[in-house]
Amino acid sequence: NAGVMQNPRHLVRRRGQEARLRCSPMKGHSHVYWYRQLPEEGLKFMVYLQKENIIDESGMPKERFSAEFPKEGPSILRIQQVVRGDSAAYFCASSPGQGWHTQYFGPGTRLTVL
Amino acid sequence: AQKVTQAQTEISVVEKEDVTLDCVYETRDTTYYLFWYKQPPSGELVFLIRRNSFDEQNEISGRYSWNFQKSTSSFNFTITASQVVDSAVYFCALSEASTGNQFYFGTGTSLTVIP
């Protein structure tokens, strides 16, 4: 009865490199959400995906960030050409449906950009 | 405008004291959902409770209780007889029926329980 899985738990990148964060939702959940938590702040919504579809990306930065949730495999949050300001904890959540359903969070990926 | 406000940034209490964490929210929706999550030092987010806007009954779960008052747009969380293991950052969150997909989180309250 595994929960939401995220890997890696910690990721270190140098400026200009790419970061790939993976998220496997809970069994039976087809809705995935990504949030970013900057130091000393609450979580901010980034994107909501269902299998093969981006439903809401209103919180995604316009450049360098992308997300996907393929038919098979985990959801991927991709950050190209990382900058120091991208250093944060990135949380993935999943739910069995949208809206009122409780979102269950993974342990997060801590990204550090040197 | 901040949809969820947690005015208390940090709270310290001595073990066995009671402590209340405040949460004030703002929404124009008549249907919405409120949540509390706990983030211990290990960093993961642990779901504690969900309430919908039509159910103002207070809830108690062991040492935890929640007071939902629509009249003041508040959803406060009380820990009775606090323990060291309660030390964590606690987040209040709001989900609106109209936007549905995203949760709006407060900035969190860092609780330290001193033995």
Side-chain angles (χ1 to χ4, degrees), chain B residues 19-32:
Chain B
V19 59
T20 295
L21 310 181
D22 297 334
C23 173
V24 174
Y25 62 92
E26 179 183 333
T27 180
R28 292 184 179 179
D29 281 30
T30 55
T31 302
Y32 54 90

